[in-house]
């Protein structure tokens, strides 16, 4: 934004003196395009005219303007369209004729960032251009019309690029699939053959690259009755990306197993493995799981981004109060600190953030994980293995003879592991671990149900964090949302007067779903002397919850509603995840 503000001052659209006065009165953090327009020291029409001129001269690009609040790039494009007497088209709102697209060479379309959309009854083909003033682009593409009339329109460059990139990927995948089929027919891509088809390797590379580019957390390759389907989990939601012929599945599955050091001949038992792969110059780990199903196998690859292991606890997304409480818990000299939530709620990332916060050369820190997701320097990491009998419990017993100061247990799954963890906490060790429960307070009754005596729990547990992940509103297409007051009823006591909520309307940046990325909502319960006494006396969950509220406990739902009011997520998303 600084560059844009400098441009406004240079071109006399914004006065430096008035800007300095604004900063002096309101502070530099309040300098936004919206605020400058509100106080009338910036005129929207003048600003847009200047930006259109600079875009035409390519001294500034539309991508630079997209993230800046207060600059409506859609409005800019509509003004450009009016100036040139052409139409502005929102690509998401039209049905693209993909058969028509196949008549045009993709290389030329990508070169000029142009996209034919559809043909009408009068043989007119509408084509959207990033730059409708580019006469060379219009001339080259018009040659492929064979007597049809070209209707020139403008659309967002990102949207055109995204659609062309998707077409290129689909074209590549179809080509690789065809090569694999040919190799199968020629007998050169049998499972037993070590010289597998290079097309299989290219297909796997494309699947991995597309997943990373799409910010997926998991890749699902599934065999159905008639197809091989590839789906990605993005921001917690599965999306289908490729649908291939069924015969492609066998060589694809075999090659994935080879990469993961799994037995390619074993199709009746589940298997687990992992591999490392360089994608777009960055190193990623992939954790692979196979499961026999009715029509073949289901292969799931969890994408492990090593940068997540380096996350700072303050960047994990906790609100200030929860962060303060959680930090107090992990700074305790001994006791057990638990992180709870369902699968895929970011518990492991929080644990790694906690390890980063407490790592110290004076302490011996040992982790027991299944599997070790991220490798960290300065700590000893143990991977459990059912094949060798190294279970969580067996590893923990050995760890306690290694003179540790702090222990991280990837997951508490059974009574034996929990009992050893609590004994370690009671004998002067800080223990960090995860447990599958719906909320923080439920963890107490869950551990009681697992057969742990109340007096042991009361002495060992120092704190419990409950967490979920909610999808964040895309910052580029965020707008105020009209919410039905009926939705407020169950959360009315959390809300201020006349609450305002937000949503994403969908754009090229967020793949038209209104969300981009995820953020944690959490609750942290520190076990006070009073709560410890209640646990020792087998108090009910309701009475413990009542006492927690008296001590200032704030729920996940409340944290989620606060984040919705701040415009970080939608009310609908909070209620879906934390209700």
């Amino acid at each position: 934004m600084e560059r844009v503000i400098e441009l406004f001052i240079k071109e006399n659209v914004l006065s430096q003196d008035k800007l300095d006065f604004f900063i002096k009165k309101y502070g530099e953090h309040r300098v936004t395009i919206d605020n400058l327009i509100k106080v009338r020291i910036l005129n929207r029409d003048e600003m847009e005219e200047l930006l259109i001129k600079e875009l035409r001269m390519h001294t500034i690009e539309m991508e630079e303007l997209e993230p800046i609040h207060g600059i409506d790039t859609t409005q800019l494009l509509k003004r450009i369209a009016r100036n040139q007497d052409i139409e502005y088209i929102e690509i998401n709102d039209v049905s693209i004729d993909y058969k028509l697209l196949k008549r045009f060479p993709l290389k030329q379309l990508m070169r000029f960032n142009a996209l034919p959309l559809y043909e009408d009854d009068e043989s007119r083909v509408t084509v959207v251009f990033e730059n409708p003033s580019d006469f060379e682009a219009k001339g080259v593409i018009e040659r492929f019309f064979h007597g049809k009339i070209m209707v020139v329109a403008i659309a967002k460059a990102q949207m055109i690029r995204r659609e062309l990139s998707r077409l290129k990927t689909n074209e590549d995948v179809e080509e690789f699939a065809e090569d694999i089929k040919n190799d199968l027919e020629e007998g050169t891509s049998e499972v037993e053959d070590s010289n597998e088809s290079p097309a299989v390797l290219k297909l796997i590379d494309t699947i991995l690259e597309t997943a990373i580019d799409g910010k997926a957390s998991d890749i699902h390759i599934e065999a159905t009755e008639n197809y091989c389907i590839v789906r990605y989990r993005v921001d917690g939601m599965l999306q289908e990306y490729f649908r291939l012929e069924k015969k492609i599945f066998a060589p694809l599955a075999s090659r994935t197993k080879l990469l993961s050091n799994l037995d390619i001949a074993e199709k009746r038992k589940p298997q687990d493995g992992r591999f490392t792969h360089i994608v777009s110059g960055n190193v990623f780990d992939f954790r692979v799981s196979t499961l026999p199903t009715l029509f073949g196998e289901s292969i799931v690859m969890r994408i492990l981004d090593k940068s997540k292991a380096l996350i700072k606890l303050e960047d994990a997304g906790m609100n200030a109060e929860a962060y303060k409480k959680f930090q107090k818990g992990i700074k305790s000299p001994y006791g057990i600190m638990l992180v709870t939530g369902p699968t895929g709620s970011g518990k492991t990332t929080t644990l790694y953030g906690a390890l980063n916060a407490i790592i110290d050369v004076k302490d011996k820190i040992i982790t027991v994980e299944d599997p070790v997701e991220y490798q960290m320097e300065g700590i000893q990491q143990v991977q459990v293995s059912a094949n060798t009998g190294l279970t969580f419990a067996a590893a923990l017993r050995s760890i306690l003879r290694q003179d540790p100061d702090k222990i991280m247990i990837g997951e508490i799954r059974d009574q034996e592991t929990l009992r050893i963890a609590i004994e370690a906490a009671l004998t002067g060790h800080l223990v960090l671990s995860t447990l599958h429960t719906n909320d923080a307070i439920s963890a107490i009754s869950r551990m009681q149900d697992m057969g742990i005596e109340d007096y042991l729990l009361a002495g060992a547990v120092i704190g419990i964090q409950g967490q979920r992940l909610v999808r964040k509103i895309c910052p580029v297409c965020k707008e105020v949302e009209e919410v039905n007051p009926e939705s407020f009823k169950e959360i009315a006591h959390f809300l201020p007067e006349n609450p305002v909520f937000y949503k994403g309307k969908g754009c090229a940046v967020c793949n038209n779903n209104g969300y981009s990325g995820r953020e944690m909502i959490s609750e942290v319960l520190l076990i006070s002397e009073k709560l410890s006494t209640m646990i020792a006396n087998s108090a009910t969950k309701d009475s413990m919850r009542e006492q927690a509220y008296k001590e200032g406990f704030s729920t996940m739902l409340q944290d989620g509603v606060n984040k919705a009011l701040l415009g970080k997520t939608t009310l609908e998303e909070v209620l879906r995840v934390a209700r």
Side-chain angles (χ1 to χ4, degrees):
M1 192 176 78
E2 286 176 22
R3 182 165 172 251
V4 172
I5 295 287
E6 285 170 12
L7 177 68
F8 292 164
I9 292 166
K10 182 186 169 188
E11 297 295 328
N12 298 319
V13 170
L14 177 65
S15 159
Q16 180 71 64
D17 292 341
K18 287 180 180 177
L19 178 64
D20 291 341
F21 178 75
F22 179 93
I23 293 169
K24 190 176 177 182
K25 187 173 181 182
Y26 299 108
E28 198 163 354
H29 68 285
R30 299 294 296 275
V31 177
T32 65
I33 302 297
D34 276 336
N35 286 342
L36 295 178
I37 289 170
K38 273 179 195 170
V39 296
R40 297 184 181 181
I41 65 172
L42 182 65
N43 179 281
R44 187 178 291 280
D45 280 341
E46 288 179 7
M47 173 190 81
E48 288 183 353
E49 285 298 335
L50 172 64
L51 289 174
I52 287 168
K53 185 184 89 174
E54 299 299 324
L55 286 166
R56 193 165 56 243
M57 293 165 63
H58 293 286
T59 53
I60 199 161
E61 298 299 331
M62 195 67 83
E63 280 82 355
E64 293 176 66
L65 305 178
E66 284 280 5
I68 302 174
H69 285 295
I71 297 179
D72 187 341
T73 52
T74 302
Q75 191 58 36
L76 280 176
L77 287 169
K78 284 179 178 176
R79 284 185 77 146
I80 292 169
R82 280 198 301 273
N83 292 348
Q84 298 190 25
D85 198 24
I86 59 175
E87 188 184 356
Y88 165 77
I89 293 178
E90 191 67 62
I91 291 176
N92 288 324
D93 295 341
V94 300
S95 296
I96 299 170
D97 185 345
Y98 290 100
K99 286 181 182 175
L100 172 72
L101 264 170
K102 287 186 177 175
R103 300 182 207 165
F104 297 86
L106 196 53
K107 277 186 182 176
Q108 296 285 26
L109 295 177
M110 293 183 85
R111 179 186 163 198
F112 297 114
N113 207 25
L115 182 69
L117 294 177
Y118 48 79
E119 184 179 353
D120 65 17
D121 296 336
E122 297 173 23
S123 294
R124 293 183 306 183
V125 179
T126 299
V127 184
V128 284
F129 289 83
E130 174 187 354
N131 179 11
S133 303
D134 188 335
F135 292 106
E136 185 193 356
K138 291 191 284 191
V140 169
I141 288 166
E142 202 167 16
R143 283 184 213 141
F144 299 95
F145 276 77
H146 306 298
K148 297 183 190 300
I149 300 163
M150 181 171 74
V151 178
V152 175
I154 192 171
K156 286 188 179 177
Q158 266 182 302
M159 299 291 276
I160 299 172
R161 209 168 287 124
R162 188 195 75 187
E163 204 59 52
L164 291 173
S165 175
R166 192 182 290 167
L167 285 166
K168 176 74 171 72
T169 303
N170 286 334
E171 195 176 87
D172 288 346
V173 167
E174 283 175 19
E175 187 183 314
F176 301 149
E178 199 58 41
D179 288 346
I180 294 167
K181 274 167 58 186
N182 293 337
D183 290 340
L184 283 169
E185 285 163 14
E186 292 166 15
T188 60
S189 189
E190 291 298 321
V191 167
E192 293 77 17
D193 190 347
S194 60
N195 297 314
E196 287 202 36
S197 162
V200 177
L201 296 173
K202 290 176 185 173
L203 179 57
I204 287 175
D205 280 344
T206 302
I207 288 170
L208 299 183
E209 282 171 23
T210 311
I212 301 290
D213 288 345
K215 298 178 182 173
S217 59
D218 301 84
I219 302 167
H220 292 241
I221 303 172
E222 299 156 335
T224 66
E225 188 174 3
N226 301 310
Y227 298 102
C228 165
I229 293 171
V230 180
R231 299 194 289 171
Y232 300 151
R233 189 176 294 280
V234 181
D235 292 339
M237 300 292 182
L238 275 172
Q239 301 171 14
E240 185 178 310
Y241 270 70
F242 307 115
R243 183 172 287 241
L244 308 168
E245 287 186 43
K246 177 72 180 281
K247 61 175 73 173
I248 303 299
F249 181 79
L252 187 58
S254 298
R255 187 65 214 182
T256 306
K257 286 180 179 180
L258 276 173
L259 279 171
S260 316
N261 290 318
L262 301 179
D263 182 354
I264 60 173
E266 180 57 78
K267 298 177 183 178
R268 296 171 299 173
K269 291 180 184 175
Q271 297 185 74
D272 292 299
R274 67 189 295 154
F275 66 91
T276 300
H277 200 73
I278 296 171
V279 180
S280 304
N282 297 312
V283 179
F284 289 87
D285 282 343
F286 296 86
R287 196 176 79 205
V288 181
S289 167
T290 72
L291 181 72
T293 64
L294 192 60
F295 299 110
E297 287 175 288
S298 169
I299 297 172
V300 176
M301 290 185 257
R302 166 65 57 89
I303 301 169
L304 302 173
D305 184 352
K306 290 187 175 181
S307 64
K308 286 187 179 177
L310 306 172
I311 192 168
K312 292 181 179 177
L313 199 57
E314 57 266 34
D315 298 333
M318 292 182 216
N319 63 68
E321 189 61 32
Y323 172 67
K324 192 173 162 187
K325 287 180 179 178
F326 189 78
Q327 198 174 41
K328 184 180 176 184
I330 63 173
K331 292 287 171 72
S332 301
Y334 58 86
I336 185 165
M337 186 79 190
L338 291 168
V339 179
T340 72
T343 303
S345 59
K347 299 189 297 296
T348 305
T349 302
T350 301
L351 281 187
Y352 277 105
L355 285 177
N356 277 323
I358 62 173
I359 199 164
D360 192 320
V361 72
K362 298 192 293 292
D363 291 328
K364 176 145 185 161
I365 302 175
I366 307 181
T367 74
V368 193
E369 303 169 67
D370 181 23
V372 172
E373 292 201 12
Y374 306 107
Q375 289 157 22
M376 290 180 71
E377 284 186 25
I379 63 175
Q380 306 299 310
Q381 293 173 276
V382 178
Q383 181 156 317
V384 303
S385 169
N387 296 334
T388 59
L390 187 64
T391 61
F392 273 110
L396 271 175
R397 275 194 291 270
S398 300
I399 278 172
L400 291 173
R401 295 194 287 275
Q402 287 276 313
D403 186 30
D405 297 287
K406 294 161 185 173
I407 300 165
M408 190 267 264
I409 306 166
E411 186 183 341
I412 291 175
R413 296 176 181 170
D414 52 51
Q415 191 205 63
E416 190 180 6
T417 306
L418 178 57
R419 190 170 289 281
I420 298 168
I422 284 176
E423 285 170 7
L426 289 169
T427 52
H429 304 87
L430 176 68
V431 180
L432 305 175
S433 190
T434 69
L435 196 65
H436 285 281
T437 62
N438 287 331
D439 54 41
I441 290 171
S442 298
I444 302 292
S445 47
R446 172 91 174 94
M447 289 186 285
Q448 289 168 333
D449 292 342
M450 289 171 81
I452 303 299
E453 294 80 359
D454 294 333
Y455 67 90
L456 290 177
L457 286 178
V461 180
I462 50 175
I464 305 160
Q465 162 155 313
Q467 68 178 64
R468 298 281 193 285
L469 292 177
V470 291
R471 291 179 292 169
K472 291 195 290 185
I473 298 171
C474 172
V476 176
C477 60
K478 185 167 87 172
E479 62 181 18
V480 174
E481 180 183 21
E482 295 293 328
V483 179
N484 185 345
E486 290 294 314
S487 308
F488 296 163
K489 282 190 176 178
E490 64 181 284
I491 55 165
H493 51 295
F494 296 146
L495 300 175
E497 202 175 331
N498 302 319
V500 178
F501 294 104
Y502 301 85
K503 67 172 183 178
K505 65 179 178 181
C507 66
V509 174
C510 62
N511 205 14
N512 203 39
N513 63 30
Y515 295 100
S516 180
R518 289 192 290 176
E519 178 155 322
M520 178 201 299
I521 57 171
S522 62
E523 58 188 29
V524 179
L525 175 69
L526 288 181
I527 306 299
S528 62
E529 287 292 331
K530 176 69 176 170
L531 278 168
S532 182
T533 304
M534 292 176 77
I535 293 167
N537 294 329
S538 306
T540 64
K541 191 160 79 170
D542 287 341
S543 60
M544 284 191 285
R545 194 186 302 277
E546 196 176 317
Q547 177 60 29
Y549 286 143
K550 285 179 187 173
E551 295 174 9
F553 176 67
S554 177
T555 66
M556 250 184 298
L557 179 60
Q558 188 170 346
D559 185 28
V561 170
N562 289 340
K563 285 188 173 171
L565 288 166
L566 289 170
K568 292 184 178 181
T569 187
T570 62
L571 182 61
E572 178 189 17
E573 181 71 359
V574 170
L575 294 176
R576 178 184 74 83
V577 169
R579 178 178 270 158

